[in-house]
């Protein structure tokens, strides 16, 4: 009597794990992955160092010389500079001849000349625009003082009264959020990293599917495992590789920023940014890569991958472009707030807003929840397309046909 052959079929978990481990091993060992990760990390570190060097220069915007005759103008000149965010250093010179020599050798940007009753200034070649505005303000102040004195008043008391005058602001109807400049930058960087990861790793999923179709490897794989297991394993494997890359770049960038003093925000805020970056990378990647795998199964040539995945990529690109265009100048923009909760835009917009701060807890929870709820539906939708189209080679399979025949 013949003994029945043993059942060698793998469990779904083992099948998905096998495909995923193959993807991880192949991609992590590849030269492209290692070089790309190192290059991106180096770019971030170099950018941080450059910012440090530029910020470290923190000197005056303009250096203005004055003589003993124009000494009374030095203090109001510096005060006027502060009013328009222009840092002005003042240096006393022995006389106008000495000041002109310093102008010639570049030690001074401008020299106050004359008797100090009116504003006279001399420069080497041309006058800086901001310094020009400060000098204009100083000229107007002198004119007012002279008019007050002519009318019998005390210019010093007049200026003191003007300086002490303040308007009273009533409490706002809604409490505004004070956005920190460094948090804004972190938000933009987070958005760029998410965008690049979704673009590169998502495309890798579609390209991997097409590569297996053209090499006929998929036929061998599907003789052992089911189509959805192959798709899930590929998505999981590439997702883990992208996560490793994201961790290296995100953690490395934050450590470099904190170590150099470029980032002065709290460690907890920096760590929170990295955590949200990872969370939204995972959510965004699994949401989009499932769709990319299905769309990749519709074509049989690598050159057709871009056209097949473009409809899905448009949402990624749109979210990224809106984020970097609107948020830096208007972090509390209502339109962006609404879009960041919609699942197709959340992976690029919400991490930017979270890094910037001021996002209500309920918005963060709702945005995450909607994406989590959407992913199972996308898996079902993509599995139908993938199961029917992945074995077809040659002409592009129409989406309508793939859904109908599945």
């Amino acid at each position: 009597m013949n003994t029945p052959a043993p059942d060698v079929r793998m469990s779904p978990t083992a099948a998905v794990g096998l495909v995923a481990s193959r993807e991880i091993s192949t991609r992590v060992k590849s030269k492209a992955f290692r070089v790309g990760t190192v290059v991106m990390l180096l770019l971030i570190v170099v950018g941080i160092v450059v910012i440090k060097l530029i910020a470290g220069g923190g000197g005056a915007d303009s250096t203005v010389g004055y003589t003993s005759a124009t000494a009374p103008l030095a203090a109001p000149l510096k005060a006027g500079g502060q009013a328009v965010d222009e840092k002005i250093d003042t240096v006393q010179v022995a006389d106008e001849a000495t000041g002109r020599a310093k102008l010639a050798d570049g030690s001074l940007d401008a020299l106050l000349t004359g008797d100090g009753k009116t504003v006279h200034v001399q420069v080497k070649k041309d006058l800086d625009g901001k310094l020009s505005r400060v000098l204009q303000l100083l000229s107007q102040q002198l004119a007012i003082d002279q008019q007050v004195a002519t009318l019998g008043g005390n210019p010093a008391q007049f200026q003191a009264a003007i300086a002490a005058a303040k308007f009273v602001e009533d409490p706002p109807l809604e409490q505004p959020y004070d956005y920190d400049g460094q948090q804004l930058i972190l938000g933009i960087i987070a958005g760029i990293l998410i965008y690049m990861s979704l673009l590169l790793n998502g495309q890798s999923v579609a390209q991997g599917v097409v590569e297996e179709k053209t090499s006929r490897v998929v036929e061998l794989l599907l003789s052992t495992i089911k189509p959805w297991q192959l798709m899930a394993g590929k998505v999981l494997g590439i997702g883990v590789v992208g996560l490793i890359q994201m961790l290296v770049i995100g953690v490395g960038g934050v450590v470099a920023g904190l170590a150099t003093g470029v980032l002065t925000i709290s460690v907890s805020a920096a760590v929170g940014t990295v955590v949200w970056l990872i969370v939204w990378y995972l959510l965004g990647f699994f949401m989009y890569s499932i769709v990319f795998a299905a769309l990749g199964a519709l074509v049989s040539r690598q050159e057709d991958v871009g056209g097949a995945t473009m409809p899905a990529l448009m949402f990624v690109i749109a979210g990224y472009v809106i984020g970097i265009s609107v948020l830096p100048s208007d972090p509390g923009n209502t339109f962006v707030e609404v879009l960041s909760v919609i699942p197709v835009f959340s992976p690029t917009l919400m991490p930017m807003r979270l890094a910037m701060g001021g996002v209500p807890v309920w918005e963060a929870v709702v945005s995450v929840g909607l994406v989590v709820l959407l992913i199972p539906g996308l898996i079902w939708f993509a599995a139908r397309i993938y199961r029917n189209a992945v074995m077809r080679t040659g002409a592009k399979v129409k989406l309508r046909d793939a859904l109908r025949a599945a």
Side-chain angles (χ1 to χ4, degrees):
M1 186 172 63
N2 294 330
T3 303
D7 189 354
V8 295
R9 287 180 300 175
M10 291 182 287
S11 67
T13 303
V16 171
L18 181 64
V19 176
S21 62
R22 171 180 171 271
E23 289 289 342
I24 294 170
S25 175
T26 302
R27 292 178 184 275
V28 169
K29 291 178 180 178
S30 69
K31 186 176 180 180
F33 170 80
R34 289 177 290 180
V35 171
T37 303
V38 171
V39 168
M40 283 192 286
L41 181 58
L42 283 176
L43 286 174
I44 288 180
V45 173
V46 168
I48 290 171
V49 172
V50 169
I51 292 173
K52 176 66 175 178
L53 292 175
I54 294 173
D61 297 312
S62 300
T63 302
V64 179
Y66 64 91
T67 62
S68 56
T70 57
L73 302 179
L77 179 65
K78 293 185 71 171
Q82 292 175 353
V84 296
D85 197 26
E86 174 85 350
K87 186 178 180 182
I88 298 175
D89 276 353
T90 53
V91 178
Q92 184 166 6
V93 295
D95 49 41
E96 291 187 7
T98 304
R100 291 190 183 95
K102 288 183 176 292
L103 278 178
D105 65 20
S107 302
L108 295 177
D109 297 303
L111 173 67
L112 294 174
T113 60
D115 57 10
K117 294 180 180 179
T118 56
V119 179
H120 286 258
V121 65
Q122 189 170 32
V123 295
K124 181 178 180 179
K125 191 170 184 180
D126 51 20
L127 186 60
D128 176 74
K130 265 193 166 184
L131 180 57
S132 175
R133 290 196 293 274
V134 176
L135 291 166
Q136 181 62 31
L137 289 173
L138 180 59
S139 298
Q140 293 171 353
Q141 180 180 325
L142 283 180
I144 292 172
D145 289 348
Q146 290 167 3
Q147 288 297 317
V148 170
T150 301
L151 294 172
N154 186 325
Q157 290 180 353
F158 175 79
Q159 290 296 337
I162 294 296
K166 297 183 182 297
F167 68 90
V168 178
E169 183 179 5
D170 292 331
L173 296 178
E174 295 182 10
Q175 191 63 32
Y177 185 83
D178 185 19
Y179 291 95
D180 182 85
Q182 292 193 352
Q183 287 180 289
L184 291 174
I185 295 173
L186 277 178
I188 298 302
I189 293 174
I192 292 173
L193 287 177
I194 290 285
Y195 170 73
M196 290 178 61
S197 296
L198 291 180
L199 211 62
L200 298 176
N201 294 316
Q203 286 283 77
S204 295
V205 172
Q207 290 168 353
V209 170
V210 175
E211 182 181 346
E212 289 172 351
K213 284 184 66 172
T214 55
S215 65
R216 317 298 289 188
V217 172
V218 70
E219 295 179 8
L220 298 175
L221 292 172
L222 293 181
S223 65
T224 307
I225 61 177
K226 295 180 179 180
W228 74 265
Q229 294 169 350
L230 175 59
M231 184 185 74
K234 182 171 290 293
V235 169
L236 180 61
I238 296 176
V240 170
V241 173
L243 177 60
I244 294 171
Q245 191 174 59
M246 185 73 69
L247 277 170
V248 171
I249 295 170
V251 174
V254 168
V255 169
L258 292 173
T260 57
V262 170
L263 285 179
T264 56
I265 62 174
S266 66
V267 175
S268 60
V271 171
T273 298
V274 174
V275 170
W276 275 118
L277 183 66
I278 293 169
V279 168
W280 276 107
Y281 163 73
L282 291 173
L283 291 173
F285 174 78
F286 286 119
M287 182 177 71
Y288 276 107
S289 61
I290 290 166
V291 177
F292 289 154
L295 296 177
L298 297 175
V299 298
S300 300
R301 301 187 306 167
Q302 290 289 353
E303 52 266 36
D304 294 332
V305 172
T309 58
M310 184 53 66
L313 281 175
M314 288 303 295
F315 290 105
V316 179
I317 296 170
Y320 168 73
V321 171
I322 291 171
I324 63 170
S325 302
V326 177
L327 287 176
S329 58
D330 187 10
N333 186 275
T334 304
F335 176 65
V336 176
E337 287 181 2
V338 174
L339 285 184
S340 67
V341 181
I342 300 174
V344 292
F345 300 111
S346 296
T348 46
L349 289 178
M350 187 53 78
M352 290 190 197
R353 292 187 59 218
L354 288 165
M356 293 173 183
V359 179
V361 175
W362 71 266
E363 284 189 21
V365 172
V366 169
S367 62
V368 170
L370 289 177
V371 173
V372 170
L373 289 174
L374 180 62
I375 287 176
L378 289 175
I379 291 175
W380 174 85
F381 177 77
R384 287 176 62 88
I385 299 172
Y386 187 90
R387 182 170 60 247
N388 185 67
V390 75
M391 294 293 291
R392 297 189 183 185
T393 56
K396 179 182 177 181
V397 181
K398 293 182 178 180
L399 181 62
R400 180 178 63 254
D401 296 337
L403 286 171
R404 184 188 304 125

